[in-house]
Amino acid sequence: MSDSSSNTSRTIALFDCDYHKFDEHLEFYTALGFDIVYYQKAPYRYASVKMDGLTEIGFYGARNDREGINRGGCYVDVPDVREVYEQLRANLKAYFGRIPVKGTPRISRLNKTAEDWRVNITDLNENTIIIGESLGDSTTLMQEEEARVKALQSKFEKLYASAYRFAYSKEDYFAARNTLEVAFHKYVNDGSNEYVVKARVLQAEVFDALNQRDRAIEAMTLAKEIVVSELEQAALRTTYERLKELEQKDI
């Protein structure tokens, strides 16, 4: 599997996956646009997939694969994550006729964190590939974000920042939901209208990800009922765009 024509070292991520779902697992990667560059069924199951300009990943079929065990992940740094994101979505739509955004396998929306723009891909065995476009030195940016959140006077805004990171950086929607529940129950009067709108839209997205569509609709309704100033409305442009996407989503 080595490329003798190149003297450049490279790293190939290696994930375990369910031996009995091995081929179904590979299908998702071919749907994304990866090519299968190595495949064997015996004496053990192993395959490698590659997408030019992105990455190569290897898979080992584990017979003792158990839910929640042997999960892997890697981060792929790219110069233009939006271009990659649109390509992956188009490939999935062409292959499956839809874009899987819930359950496994799935692809997340493109999200902005403190350190990057990123999209998370979770395969059938819950391995996660984060494809990101860096906004700068991650250590420095995270330190700056921690200092910014620590300096916030509003407890509501601090909890919103935590919930945002749970949802968009870690895809831990239960933690995001619970954090937002506390924010709205105890500290909603401590938040500006701008941040309350942001939190309601985030809450709607979290409920939607957890298949709680009725609660998502309720959160969206509450977000639209909040009166904001013209200045706040301008600051909330991307938030309202996301709200519109959620309203129009075909579940």
Side-chain angles (χ1 to χ4, degrees):
M1 289 177 44
S2 63
D3 183 359
S4 58
S5 64
S6 174
N7 293 321
T8 304
S9 64
R10 59 179 179 151
T11 301
I12 301 174
L14 178 60
F15 297 155
D16 284 355
C17 60
D18 190 330
Y19 180 93
H20 301 289
K21 296 180 180 179
F22 194 81
D23 291 319
E24 186 179 353
H25 173 86
L26 287 177
E27 182 184 26
F28 175 63
Y29 283 91
T30 57
L32 282 165
F34 285 81
D35 293 319
I36 299 175
V37 295
Y38 188 88
Y39 178 89
Q40 70 176 42
K41 194 167 184 176
Y44 55 88
R45 306 212 75 172
Y46 180 83
S48 183
V49 300
K50 182 179 181 180
M51 181 181 286
D52 289 340
L54 193 57
T55 190
E56 183 172 347
I57 307 168
F59 303 106
Y60 173 78
R63 290 182 179 273
N64 62 342
D65 186 75
R66 291 177 292 164
E67 186 175 354
I69 307 297
N70 299 336
R71 301 298 173 251
C74 67
Y75 187 99
V76 182
D77 188 17
V78 297
D80 189 342
V81 70
R82 186 173 296 277
E83 180 181 350
V84 174
Y85 172 67
E86 295 298 342
Q87 179 185 354
L88 295 174
R89 282 173 56 88
N91 291 343
L92 288 169
K93 183 69 179 291
Y95 192 95
F96 291 124
R98 63 182 181 85
I99 301 171
V101 295
K102 293 182 180 180
T104 52
R106 66 179 181 273
I107 185 172
S108 76
R109 64 187 291 257
L110 185 61
N111 296 309
K112 185 180 181 182
T113 71
E115 65 267 33
D116 62 10
W117 279 94
R118 66 172 58 182
V119 55
N120 296 339
I121 297 171
T122 304
D123 67 25
L124 188 65
N125 289 272
E126 298 184 7
N127 299 304
T128 300
I129 303 169
I130 301 173
I131 302 173
E133 181 181 341
S134 175
L135 297 174
D137 179 76
S138 60
T139 301
T140 300
L141 289 170
M142 284 305 302
Q143 289 174 344
E144 291 174 351
E145 174 65 7
E146 289 172 5
R148 183 192 72 82
V149 173
K150 186 176 181 180
L152 289 173
Q153 298 299 309
S154 167
K155 291 182 178 179
F156 184 88
E157 292 180 21
K158 285 186 177 182
L159 288 171
Y160 166 78
S162 295
Y164 187 99
R165 185 156 184 81
F166 282 134
Y168 293 150
S169 293
K170 302 179 180 180
E171 287 198 309
D172 189 342
Y173 294 114
F174 284 108
R177 181 199 65 182
N178 296 340
T179 302
L180 289 169
E181 289 286 341
V182 173
F184 282 114
H185 181 69
K186 296 185 66 175
Y187 302 112
V188 67
N189 292 330
D190 192 33
S192 66
N193 285 350
E194 178 184 340
Y195 270 88
V196 174
V197 172
K198 287 182 177 181
R200 283 300 185 193
V201 174
L202 175 59
Q203 188 179 48
E205 184 164 9
V206 167
F207 282 141
D208 186 64
L210 295 173
N211 292 315
Q212 297 175 5
R213 186 60 179 173
D214 289 344
R215 298 195 70 183
I217 292 172
E218 180 184 1
M220 286 185 270
T221 300
L222 291 171
K224 290 187 293 184
E225 290 176 352
I226 299 168
V227 179
V228 297
S229 67
E230 290 186 7
L231 187 62
E232 288 173 325
Q233 191 169 22
L236 288 166
R237 181 179 59 83
T238 57
T239 300
Y240 284 128
E241 288 175 356
R242 181 55 186 154
L243 176 60
K244 187 175 181 180
E245 289 175 10
L246 285 167
E247 288 181 315
Q248 297 176 345
K249 193 171 183 181
D250 183 18
I251 302 300

